[in-house]
Amino acid sequence: MTARRDAAMEPVPPADRPVTAREHRILAGVNAGEVMEGSGLTDGDIAAALRVLRGQSTAEEEVARMLAELVAARSGREPGAPSSQPLGLETPGPMERDLP
């Protein structure tokens, strides 16, 4: 798991180019909101936000990537590895168990 970043710490720029002043202001604002909620941005969060800001990805693609990582971590698989069960159907819910 990636460690949370301190609110005062500078974000780690990706290897391809440094963070611009505009990107830094956006990240600082998002991080401030996260800090008020009791956490902060991880290095992965910063990288995902920068990919979206730079047009390398969409927010929807980043959400899908994060969900895949969570599902993989939960099941002990590598992200992107095929699942034997569709997302959300690992165990039957109360309604499914009650059906004849």
Side-chain angles (χ1 to χ4, degrees):
M1 178 174 233
T2 306
R4 297 273 172 197
R5 298 190 65 77
D6 185 293
M9 292 179 67
E10 294 294 319
V12 176
D16 61 339
R17 67 179 197 210
V19 175
T20 66
R22 175 183 174 270
E23 292 166 342
H24 189 274
R25 285 191 304 273
I26 291 169
L27 290 170
V30 172
N31 192 52
E34 292 295 311
V35 168
M36 285 190 288
E37 292 295 321
S39 63
L41 295 176
T42 65
D43 290 343
D45 297 335
I46 292 168
L50 287 173
R51 284 190 296 271
V52 172
L53 287 170
R54 294 173 176 177
Q56 299 166 337
S57 181
T58 66
E60 292 79 13
E61 290 169 338
E62 293 302 326
V63 168
R65 184 186 328 242
M66 288 180 188
L67 286 174
E69 289 173 3
L70 289 171
V71 169
R74 181 177 177 197
S75 66
R77 288 181 285 110
E78 290 294 317
S83 172
S84 61
Q85 294 289 327
L87 182 62
L89 299 178
E90 290 85 9
T91 58
M95 294 285 290
E96 295 163 332
R97 281 194 296 262
D98 295 338
L99 295 176

